C-alpha cells in the first residue's frame, strides 16, 4: 500500500497534461504542438527513467515481490505487483551504472524518433493531392465522392476536384475510379509515403528505431526485442507468435490464392490487358463483389447515415449493458466538431464521459483509434470515472448528402466503440490495470467482438433505414451482407498476416540492421506477395503501428484477438444475441476487469473454456 499502490497513484497532474498533449498531437496538431511534443518527450522519458532506475525504490519493490506475505494479496494486487516489478526490470532497474546510463540515452532517443516518424507520415499524407480539372477523369466515381472532392478543391481555392490520401477520399477512389493511370498514381503516392529520400523520409528512422530496440533488449538480457516485449502476453514468446502466424497462414493462403486468381480472371474478362496490378485490386474486387452479390458500398451507404449509426451503436450498448448516452455541449472540447456525452447506467450513475471526433482534418492522423483523457481508478474508496475518446476519419456531410458510412466504416465505428466500452465500463482499483491497460494481444478482443454485430439482421433491422426514403434495409440486402462477409477473406487474412510477419521480422533481428530496407521487406513478404512488386513503394516507412504507436512485436494481436472474438461471439449466437446472462458475463469478466487477472483466466471465466480456432476459420470461410 505504501509502495506499489502508492506508486500507481503518483503523478496525477502530469498524467492529465500528458494525455491532453499527446491526444491533441494525434487529433488536432500544429507545428507548435509538434514542437512541444518533441521538446517534452525526452523530459518525460527522463522522468520515467528516474523512477525505474531509482535503486532504493526498486529494492522495496523487489522485497515485496519476493516476500511470502505477497501470497496473501488478492488477484488484482498480485497483478499490479507483477506488472510493476516487470516494469522496473524492463526499465533497467537491475542494470549496473554504466548500462543504466546507456539505457537512459536509448529510451530518450526512441521517444523522439517515434514522434518524428509519425510527424513525417502526417506531413507526407497532407502534402499529396490529386487535382483534376477534366470531368472525364471522374469516370466511375460515385456522386458523393465527386461532391466531396469538389468541396476539397473549393476549400483549397482551386477549380475542379481534389482527391487526397485521407481514407474517405483514397479508399473510394481506388474502388471506383475507372481511370487506371490515376488509380496507379494514387496507390503509389499512398504506398510511398515517407519513402522519397527527402526531409520526411523515414528509412533512417526505421533503422535507428529497430537497432535501438535491439540494443535496449540486449542490455536487459534478451536476445531480441520481441522476446523482451512478449513476456507478459498470451503468446509469451516469439516462437509462439510465429507458430500462430504460420498456422493461420497455412489455413488462409490457399484461399488467398483462390481470391487473387478469381479477381484477376474477372479483371481479364472485363478487358484488362497486361499484368493484374496492385492498383487494380480494389477496383475489380468491388466490381466482382457487385456482380456476385449485387451489393457494394454505394448500395449500402444510404442505409448508414452517421447520425443513425451513432444512435444505433448507443442503443446496442444500452441493450447489452444498460447504458444511456446524453449529449452535453457544455463540456470543453479541442475542436468544434467534437461531440461529448455523459454515459450513465440503469441507476443513472455516471459511468464515463465520451468524446466523438468523426471527420478528417489536416492536423489529424489518418485511421481511427480510441484513447482516454483519464483512465478509471479508485482513490480512497472513491471511484474516479474515465474520460474516453473515439477518433475517426469519416466523410463529412456534403452539399446534397449527409455523412454516409461505408460498410467498412460501420465496422470501424463498432471496433473503436468496443475499445471505448472496455475503457468506460472499467471497474478496477488501480489505474495501470484499468480499462484497456491489458496485454496487447488481449486488448483487441472487445473491439473486434463488436464488429460482429454489423452482420446481424437482428440488430440491423432495428435501425438501418434509407436516409431519403425511410425505407427499412431490405432483408435481401442483409442476406447479401452475410453472404459477402467471406468475400476475399483469404486475401484479407494473408494481408494482415503479412503485417504480422513483417513486425516480427523487424523485432527478432539479433544483430544491428544495416541492409537496404526495401530488400529486407521483399524477403520477408515474399511468400505473401501475389502481385508484381510496385517499384519505389514501401510498407515500413509509414507503418505507424510499429514505429509510431505501441504495436511493436504485437501486430499479430489483431489475428490472435480474431480467434478470441469469433469464439466469444459464437457463444452469443448459441445463447441469443441479446441474452442478458451472456452479456452480463462478458461485461463482468472482460469489460470491467481490465488487466486485473491473466487474460486467459478472464476469458475462461466468461466462456467456461479456452477458445479454439474453429469458429474463426468457419466465420472467415477458410474451411
Amino acid at each position: 500500500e505504501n509502495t506499489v499502490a502508492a506508486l500507481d497513484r503518483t503523478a496525477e497532474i502530469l498524467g492529465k497534461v500528458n494525455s491532453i498533449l499527446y491526444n491533441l498531437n494525434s487529433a488536432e496538431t500544429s507545428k507548435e504542438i509538434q514542437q512541444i511534443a518533441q521538446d517534452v518527450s525526452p523530459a518525460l522519458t527522463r522522468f520515467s527513467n528516474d523512477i525505474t532506475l531509482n535503486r532504493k525504490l526498486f529494492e522495496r519493490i523487489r522485497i515485496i515481490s519476493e516476500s511470502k506475505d505477497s501470497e496473501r494479496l488478492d488477484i488484482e494486487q498480485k497483478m499490479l505487483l507483477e506488472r510493476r516489478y516487470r516494469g522496473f526490470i524492463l526499465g533497467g532497474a537491475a542494470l549496473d551504472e554504466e548500462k543504466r546510463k546507456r539505457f537512459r540515452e536509448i529510451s530518450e532517443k526512441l521517444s523522439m524518433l517515434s514522434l518524428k516518424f509519425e510527424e513525417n507520415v502526417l506531413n507526407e499524407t497532407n502534402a499529396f493531392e490529386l487535382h483534376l480539372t477534366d470531368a472525364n477523369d471522374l469516370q466511375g466515381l460515385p456522386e458523393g465522392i465527386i461532391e466531396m472532392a469538389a468541396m476539397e478543391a473549393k476549400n483549397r481555392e482551386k477549380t475542379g476536384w481534389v482527391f487526397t490520401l485521407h481514407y474517405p477520399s483514397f479508399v473510394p477512389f481506388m474502388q471506383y475510379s475507372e481511370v487506371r493511370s490515376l488509380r496507379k498514381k494514387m496507390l503509389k503516392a499512398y504506398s510511398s509515403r515517407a519513402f522519397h529520400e527527402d526531409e520526411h523520409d523515414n528509412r533512417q528512422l526505421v533503422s535507428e528505431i529497430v537497432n535501438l530496440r535491439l540494443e535496449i533488449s540486449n542490455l536487459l538480457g534478451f536476445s531480441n526485442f520481441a522476446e523482451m516485449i512478449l513476456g507478459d502476453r498470451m503468446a509469451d514468446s516469439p516462437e509462439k507468435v510465429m507458430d500462430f502466424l504460420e498456422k493461420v497462414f497455412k489455413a488462409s493462403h490457399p484461399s488467398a490464392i483462390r481470391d487473387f486468381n478469381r479477381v484477376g480472371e474477372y479483371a481479364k474478362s472485363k478487358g484488362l490487358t497486361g499484368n493484374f496490378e496492385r492498383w487494380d485490386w480494389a477496383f475489380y474486387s468491388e466490381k466482382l463483389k457487385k456482380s456476385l452479390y449485387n451489393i457494394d458500398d454505394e448500395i449500402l451507404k444510404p442505409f448508414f447515415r452517421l447520425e443513425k449509426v451513432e444512435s444505433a451503436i448507443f442503443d446496442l450498448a444500452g441493450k447489452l449493458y444498460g447504458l444511456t448516452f446524453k449529449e452535453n455541449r457544455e463540456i470543453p472540447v479541442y475542436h468544434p466538431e467534437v461531440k461529448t456525452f455523459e454515459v450513465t447506467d440503469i441507476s443513472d450513475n455516471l459511468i464515463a464521459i465520451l468524446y466523438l471526433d468523426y471527420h478528417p482534418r489536416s492536423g489529424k492522423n489518418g485511421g481511427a483509434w480510441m484513447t482516454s483523457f483519464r483512465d478509471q481508478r479508485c482513490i480512497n474508496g472513491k471511484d474516479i470515472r474515465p474520460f474516453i475518446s473515439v477518433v475517426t476519419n469519416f466523410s463529412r456531410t456534403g452539399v446534397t448528402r449527409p455523412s454516409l458510412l461505408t460498410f467498412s466504416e460501420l465496422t470501424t465505428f463498432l471496433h473503436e466503440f468496443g475499445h471505448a466500452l472496455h475503457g468506460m465500463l472499467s471497474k478496477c482499483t488501480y489505474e495501470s490495470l484499468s480499462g484497456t491497460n491489458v496485454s496487447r494481444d488481449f486488448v483487441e478482443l472487445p473491439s473486434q467482438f463488436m464488429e460482429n454485430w454489423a452482420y446481424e439482421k437482428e440488430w440491423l433491422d432495428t435501425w438501418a433505414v434509407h436516409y431519403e426514403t425511410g425505407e427499412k434495409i431490405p432483408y435481401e440486402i442483409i442476406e447479401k451482407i452475410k453472404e459477402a462477409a467471406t468475400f476475399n477473406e483469404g486475401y484479407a487474412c494473408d494481408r494482415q498476416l503479412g503485417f504480422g510477419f513483417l513486425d516480427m521480422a523487424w523485432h527478432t533481428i539479433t544483430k544491428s540492421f544495416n541492409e537496404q530496407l526495401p530488400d529486407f521487406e521483399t524477403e520477408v513478404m515474399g511468400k505473401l506477395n501475389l502481385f508484381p512488386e510496385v517499384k519505389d513503394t514501401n510498407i515500413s516507412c509509414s507503418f505507424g503501428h510499429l514505429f509510431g504507436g505501441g504495436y511493436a512485436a504485437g501486430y499479430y494481436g489483431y489475428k490472435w484477438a480474431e480467434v478470441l472474438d469469433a469464439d466469444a461471439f459464437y457463444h452469443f449466437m448459441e445463447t441469443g444475441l441479446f441474452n442478458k446472462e451472456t452479456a452480463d458475463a462478458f461485461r463482468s469478466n472482460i469489460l470491467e476487469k481490465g488487466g486485473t487477472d491473466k487474460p486467459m483466466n478472464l476469458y475462461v471465466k466468461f466462456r467456461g473454456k479456452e477458445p479454439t480456432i474453429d469458429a474463426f476459420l468457419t466465420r472467415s470461410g477458410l474451411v
Side-chain angles (χ1 to χ4, degrees):
E1 187 57 35
N2 68 11
T3 301
V4 179
L7 190 56
D8 197 69
R9 293 191 291 265
T10 59
E12 184 180 355
I13 295 173
L14 180 61
K16 186 186 295 186
V17 175
N18 244 0
S19 68
I20 293 170
L21 171 62
Y22 286 99
N23 284 332
L24 284 181
N25 196 42
S26 295
E28 185 59 19
T29 196
S30 63
K31 292 296 181 186
E32 183 184 18
I33 289 175
Q34 288 175 338
Q35 187 58 55
I36 290 169
Q38 286 283 353
D39 293 343
V40 167
S41 191
L44 289 169
T45 304
R46 281 194 293 274
F47 173 71
S48 175
N49 286 337
D50 285 342
I51 294 172
T52 54
L53 296 175
N54 184 309
R55 290 190 183 279
K56 289 183 179 179
L57 184 54
F58 175 58
E59 186 61 16
R60 287 175 67 145
I61 289 172
R62 186 189 62 76
I63 290 169
I64 297 165
S65 180
E66 294 174 358
S67 169
K68 288 185 178 179
D69 289 342
S70 66
E71 294 174 10
R72 297 204 300 268
L73 300 176
D74 64 31
I75 294 173
E76 186 173 2
Q77 290 172 324
K78 285 180 178 177
M79 285 297 293
L80 181 68
L81 176 58
E82 181 183 313
R83 186 178 288 189
R84 185 63 68 182
Y85 181 74
R86 175 176 162 79
F88 267 76
I89 293 296
L90 297 188
L95 298 176
D96 61 37
E97 204 54 51
E98 186 179 342
K99 288 181 178 178
R100 282 171 171 238
K101 184 181 178 183
R102 181 58 184 153
F103 182 94
R104 281 182 180 274
E105 291 171 355
I106 295 172
S107 53
E108 288 178 28
K109 181 74 170 173
L110 279 171
S111 68
M112 295 181 69
L113 293 177
S114 292
L115 277 175
K116 185 62 179 172
F117 181 96
E118 283 195 315
E119 199 177 297
N120 285 343
V121 175
L122 181 60
N123 285 332
E124 289 274 283
T125 303
N126 288 334
F128 176 86
E129 67 174 27
L130 178 65
H131 181 211
L132 303 179
T133 54
D134 184 348
N136 290 323
D137 288 335
L138 304 176
Q139 292 174 58
L141 295 173
E143 277 183 34
I145 304 306
I146 294 172
E147 184 179 295
M148 188 170 70
M151 287 174 61
E152 187 65 36
K154 187 177 179 182
N155 290 340
R156 298 180 183 218
E157 299 181 347
K158 295 185 176 183
T159 58
W161 305 268
V162 168
F163 298 89
T164 73
L165 298 182
H166 294 286
Y167 272 38
S169 181
F170 173 74
V171 172
F173 191 93
M174 297 305 296
Q175 287 176 316
Y176 296 109
S177 173
E178 292 181 8
V179 186
R180 194 181 186 211
S181 61
L182 294 179
R183 294 202 310 269
K184 177 180 179 180
K185 187 173 184 178
M186 287 286 276
L187 186 282
K188 291 194 74 169
Y190 186 85
S191 303
S192 62
R193 289 173 301 162
F195 190 63
H196 292 126
E197 295 185 337
D198 57 15
E199 61 179 333
H200 297 138
D201 194 297
N202 273 338
R203 264 174 281 207
Q204 186 58 37
L205 289 183
V206 169
S207 296
E208 281 190 73
I209 288 170
V210 296
N211 286 338
L212 288 173
R213 284 173 176 171
L214 172 62
E215 186 180 350
I216 213 164
S217 60
N218 289 163
L219 275 176
L220 295 171
F222 298 95
S223 61
N224 57 59
F225 186 77
E227 185 179 82
M228 179 183 86
I229 288 295
L230 294 169
D232 63 347
R233 305 283 167 88
M234 295 180 80
D236 58 6
S237 70
E239 292 74 24
K240 284 186 181 178
V241 172
M242 291 303 294
D243 182 63
F244 170 75
L245 291 174
E246 290 288 354
K247 185 177 181 181
V248 180
F249 175 72
K250 187 177 180 182
S252 73
H253 194 57
S255 297
I257 295 172
R258 175 205 65 198
D259 295 343
F260 177 81
N261 289 336
R262 182 172 60 171
V263 177
E265 287 163 10
Y266 176 81
K268 298 284 186 186
S269 76
K270 292 298 176 182
L272 178 70
T273 56
N275 286 334
F276 178 45
E277 302 281 1
R278 194 173 292 282
W279 49 85
D280 298 316
W281 174 260
F283 178 72
Y284 286 107
S285 289
E286 196 67 23
K287 282 192 174 301
L288 176 57
K289 185 178 177 182
K290 178 79 180 292
S291 72
L292 290 174
Y293 307 106
N294 193 27
I295 193 171
D296 66 7
D297 279 340
E298 290 308 300
I299 290 173
L300 293 174
K301 280 169 71 173
F303 297 98
F304 300 148
R305 182 173 181 164
L306 176 56
E307 292 80 4
K308 267 288 189 184
V309 174
E310 177 191 278
S311 175
I313 290 176
F314 286 171
D315 288 345
L316 176 59
K319 194 172 279 190
L320 292 173
Y321 309 119
L323 302 181
T324 301
F325 299 79
K326 182 181 178 183
E327 189 168 5
N328 181 340
R329 299 186 181 184
E330 300 301 311
I331 296 171
V333 292
Y334 56 85
H335 190 278
E337 290 181 336
V338 179
K339 299 172 71 174
T340 51
F341 298 84
E342 294 177 0
V343 186
T344 55
D345 63 13
I346 53 174
S347 301
D348 208 31
N349 298 310
L350 182 70
I351 294 296
I353 299 296
L354 175 65
Y355 299 76
L356 297 177
D357 181 0
Y358 290 129
H359 305 299
R361 296 184 295 271
S362 61
K364 190 179 191 179
N365 287 346
W369 62 93
M370 166 269 179
T371 185
S372 67
F373 289 100
R374 181 173 81 184
D375 288 339
Q376 181 269 333
R377 70 262 198 188
C378 288
I379 298 179
N380 298 325
K382 183 181 179 183
D383 187 7
I384 308 296
R385 299 313 302 170
F387 299 162
I388 302 298
S389 178
V390 170
V391 186
T392 62
N393 277 274
F394 298 150
S395 301
R396 297 176 184 281
T397 297
V399 176
T400 61
R401 304 174 68 172
S403 176
L404 303 174
L405 304 192
T406 65
F407 187 75
S408 175
E409 288 173 328
L410 169 63
T411 59
T412 293
F413 197 159
L414 285 163
H415 180 102
E416 299 308 333
F417 199 79
H419 282 311
L421 287 170
H422 204 183
M424 291 190 292
L425 291 173
S426 178
K427 221 173 182 177
C428 305
T429 303
Y430 307 110
E431 181 179 8
S432 61
L433 298 179
S434 72
T436 57
N437 293 310
V438 301
S439 296
R440 181 64 73 185
D441 53 8
F442 190 61
V443 75
E444 296 299 333
L445 166 60
S447 54
Q448 292 182 186
F449 167 80
M450 284 295 286
E451 292 183 39
N452 288 281
W453 299 93
Y455 300 90
E456 295 303 321
K457 179 181 186 299
E458 202 170 335
W459 181 57
L460 292 171
D461 253 354
T462 64
W463 64 273
V465 298
H466 196 286
Y467 80 97
E468 287 180 312
T469 66
E471 172 201 6
K472 194 174 182 178
I473 189 167
Y475 174 73
E476 303 78 50
I477 287 185
I478 295 177
E479 284 298 294
K480 297 294 184 186
I481 290 173
K482 290 282 277 188
E483 287 176 22
T486 59
F487 177 69
N488 285 344
E489 188 60 27
Y491 179 87
C493 186
D494 252 26
R495 183 158 170 76
Q496 279 288 90
L497 291 171
F499 295 147
F501 280 121
L502 182 59
D503 172 26
M504 291 304 292
W506 278 124
H507 296 111
T508 53
I509 59 171
T510 54
K511 60 181 181 180
S512 186
F513 179 79
N514 55 14
E515 304 170 36
Q516 291 296 313
L517 193 149
D519 295 342
F520 180 84
E521 264 198 21
T522 299
E523 185 178 346
V524 173
M525 304 292 282
K527 67 179 181 181
L528 295 113
N529 270 342
L530 299 175
F531 282 104
E533 185 179 349
V534 181
K535 192 179 177 185
D536 299 324
T537 63
N538 185 265
I539 298 170
S540 299
C541 284
S542 58
F543 203 164
H545 277 72
L546 301 196
F547 302 111
Y551 278 79
Y555 200 86
Y556 76 93
Y558 282 105
K559 276 294 164 208
W560 184 274
E562 273 193 60
V563 171
L564 297 179
D565 95 71
D567 189 78
F569 197 74
Y570 182 73
H571 188 43
F572 272 76
M573 292 172 71
E574 286 179 313
T575 59
L577 289 183
F578 298 105
N579 182 282
K580 190 172 186 320
E581 284 185 17
T582 308
D584 285 347
F586 192 76
R587 174 177 178 165
S588 61
N589 292 299
I590 306 291
L591 298 176
E592 291 182 350
K593 285 295 191 291
T596 58
D597 198 352
K598 301 288 186 186
M600 190 59 79
N601 292 343
L602 295 175
Y603 189 84
V604 170
K605 285 176 184 175
F606 154 66
R607 187 71 167 92
K609 66 181 185 69
E610 291 194 3
T612 69
I613 200 169
D614 300 346
F616 163 73
L617 293 177
T618 302
R619 183 184 68 182
S620 303
L622 300 179
V623 292

